[in-house]
Amino acid sequence: MTDVAQSIDLLPASELRPENYKFPAGKLQRCSQSGKIPLVLIACGSYSPPTFLHLRMFSMASDFARMNTDFEVVGGYLSPVSDAYQKAGLVEGIHRIHMCQLAVQTSKWINIDHWEAIQPEYMPTAKVLDHFEHEINSVLGGIEDANGKRTRAQIALLAGADLIETMSSPDLWAEADLQHILGDFGVFVVERAGTDLRDALTSLKKWEHNIHRIPQVVPNEISSTKIRTLLKQRMSVDYLIPRGIIEYIEGNGLFMDEEEAGSGKGGEKVDGRK
């Protein structure tokens, strides 16, 4: 393991078990003075590996919320999927957790929560958001306002435009999950080049008040798939992902000989998450 990895105390395998789980609240802003509704952004994904775009999405959403909504972002979390997702290019969960730790090590407010990643079964997005709702608003008691009163934080999904496109596809998501995700929580969507959300948003119109579209002022098309392709071809990924992650990948020999094969998570198709 590299010096970079060792310097931030990567979670040992012994802690990556459901019975030893502790919610990471260290970076969560526990008190808000703005008078706005506290907002916590949750980005669910494979993170195999995490890229600068994954991190940049949080900054874009925070700026958008500050300038266009009555929300104040008080925290953000990467939530890697469990190994049960069985997606092509998905390296072992412990590596994805460690890479996410390295990705957010310098952020003052973006953290990683490994609860989803250590579950023995695949967790639909709706249940992941329920987990954050429980930990932040029930266990921690919400966010304290300027008068010392506890108030509920709004939990919202942070996603790319491709996710919203899947939500508009018939039979890909369970209707109950869409109602829960879009109706109860809401989503902040970062637009990407080559995606047209008009048709998707038309079919999701009843939840449009909870779907916040974020334009990319500086286009960024980095993806984990492109990173894996470059790595398999022994090409440089410098300045596409954080340096600590590059060293971790090299130190653990990840992605070098992988085949992009697989059939998705299997089972009933109720969650179209990428």
Side-chain angles (χ1 to χ4, degrees):
M1 194 166 293
T2 67
D3 291 338
V4 172
Q6 292 174 341
S7 67
I8 67 164
D9 296 326
L10 297 179
L11 288 168
S14 60
E15 289 188 27
L16 300 180
R17 299 175 183 146
E19 63 269 23
N20 294 331
Y21 170 78
K22 293 181 180 178
F23 182 71
K27 294 184 180 181
L28 185 66
Q29 182 182 328
R30 302 293 298 278
C31 181
S32 172
Q33 304 289 326
S34 68
K36 290 189 171 186
I37 302 168
L39 173 68
V40 181
L41 298 166
I42 312 301
C44 300
S46 299
Y47 301 115
S48 189
T51 73
F52 278 126
L53 178 55
H54 289 132
L55 302 176
R56 177 66 183 155
M57 286 171 62
F58 284 93
S59 297
M60 288 188 283
S62 180
D63 285 341
F64 180 89
R66 175 175 51 82
M67 294 186 290
N68 299 281
T69 74
D70 292 326
F71 292 115
E72 177 195 6
V73 175
V74 296
Y77 288 89
L78 299 175
S79 182
V81 298
S82 76
D83 290 338
Y85 191 56
Q86 298 177 5
K87 180 186 176 183
L90 194 70
V91 298
E92 189 178 358
I94 188 170
H95 291 307
R96 292 182 290 109
I97 292 169
H98 286 168
M99 287 189 288
C100 284
Q101 281 190 269
L102 291 165
V104 302
Q105 64 178 314
T106 60
S107 175
K108 294 181 179 179
W109 64 279
I110 308 171
N111 209 336
I112 170 187
D113 179 29
H114 62 277
W115 177 84
E116 181 185 0
I118 63 176
Q119 299 306 307
E121 299 178 350
Y122 172 73
M123 288 288 110
T125 304
K127 290 187 177 180
V128 176
L129 296 177
D130 282 339
H131 158 73
F132 283 96
E133 172 75 27
H134 172 73
E135 292 291 344
I136 293 172
N137 289 319
S138 295
V139 178
L140 296 179
I143 305 299
E144 188 175 297
D145 65 17
N147 299 315
K149 180 182 178 181
R150 292 282 179 176
T151 184
R152 175 185 172 274
Q154 179 66 44
I155 310 300
L157 182 65
L158 173 62
D162 51 349
L163 185 71
I164 290 298
E165 289 184 318
T166 70
M167 286 181 169
S168 66
S169 300
D171 303 323
L172 193 57
W173 290 72
E175 181 69 17
D177 281 359
L178 286 179
Q179 173 58 42
H180 197 37
I181 295 168
L182 300 179
D184 298 333
F185 293 107
V187 60
F188 284 74
V189 185
V190 176
E191 296 181 342
R192 292 180 180 175
T195 57
D196 188 347
L197 291 180
R198 286 176 294 183
D199 290 342
L201 293 175
T202 296
S203 64
L204 301 173
K205 191 172 182 60
K206 63 180 175 180
W207 299 296
E208 64 181 352
H209 63 288
N210 263 355
I211 301 175
H212 306 275
R213 297 172 58 180
I214 306 169
Q216 280 208 59
V217 178
V218 180
N220 184 334
E221 298 305 316
I222 300 172
S223 71
S224 297
T225 301
K226 291 177 182 178
I227 296 298
R228 293 196 300 270
T229 298
L230 291 173
L231 288 169
K232 286 191 295 182
Q233 295 175 356
R234 302 299 196 271
M235 296 177 69
S236 172
V237 293
D238 287 348
Y239 314 113
L240 297 176
I241 60 177
R243 184 64 207 169
I245 296 177
I246 295 175
E247 294 179 5
Y248 184 91
I249 289 171
E250 293 172 346
N252 289 277
L254 304 180
F255 307 115
M256 303 303 179
D257 299 308
E258 292 200 351
E259 294 294 331
E260 289 292 342
S263 58
K265 76 180 174 58
E268 184 182 2
K269 190 178 273 189
V270 295
D271 188 329
R273 179 170 34 170
K274 296 290 185 179

